[in-house]
Amino acid sequence: MSIDPRIALQSLVTAFEEHLAAAAARRGEKDPVVESAYLAIADAFEVYEEVLYDAYGEVTPLEIYEDDEDDGDYDGVDEVDEVLDDEPEAAEDQDNGNPLGRSANR
């Protein structure tokens, strides 16, 4: 059974909209509605990525990162700086000089 990529994309957009609404109505730091909407985005994205690849042999430049709840000393600013420092070199290596990025044929 194959899902039309347009349907999967619409489901992903809906998940983003529901997450935005949940975040706007958040009732505390660990609001279960926000957490559920967050997970719904990840699930919808995985479906979209899979059907996009199945239909067209293409992927997005996005990844789902797992939450490390054991990492109590998270300092997002430092980690973002590290990623940004490493990013230009990694992008040059991956796109083979193509200004539009990598091809789906990897």
Side-chain angles (χ1 to χ4, degrees):
M1 176 173 88
S2 179
I3 299 172
D4 184 324
R6 289 171 205 80
I7 301 297
L9 176 60
Q10 186 57 50
S11 295
L12 178 57
V13 170
T14 299
F16 276 118
E17 290 171 342
E18 290 173 359
H19 181 265
L20 176 60
R26 169 173 281 188
R27 297 180 186 189
E29 187 175 323
K30 293 279 188 176
D31 188 330
V33 176
V34 174
E35 290 184 17
S36 177
Y38 173 92
L39 295 174
I41 289 173
D43 292 343
F45 173 75
E46 288 177 354
V47 170
Y48 174 69
E49 184 90 344
E50 183 177 320
V51 299
L52 181 68
Y53 186 80
D54 288 347
Y56 304 112
E58 188 58 65
V59 295
T60 68
L62 308 174
E63 291 183 40
I64 301 289
Y65 290 96
E66 299 297 323
D67 241 353
D68 290 335
E69 291 186 23
D70 296 334
D71 188 9
D73 297 328
Y74 173 72
D75 185 1
V77 174
D78 289 341
E79 289 186 21
V80 168
D81 287 341
E82 290 173 16
V83 169
L84 291 176
D85 288 342
D86 293 340
E87 204 167 88
E89 296 169 359
E92 289 174 16
D93 292 341
Q94 293 175 355
D95 67 11
N96 297 325
N98 181 350
L100 298 177
R102 296 181 292 166
S103 166
N105 300 327
R106 304 183 232 318

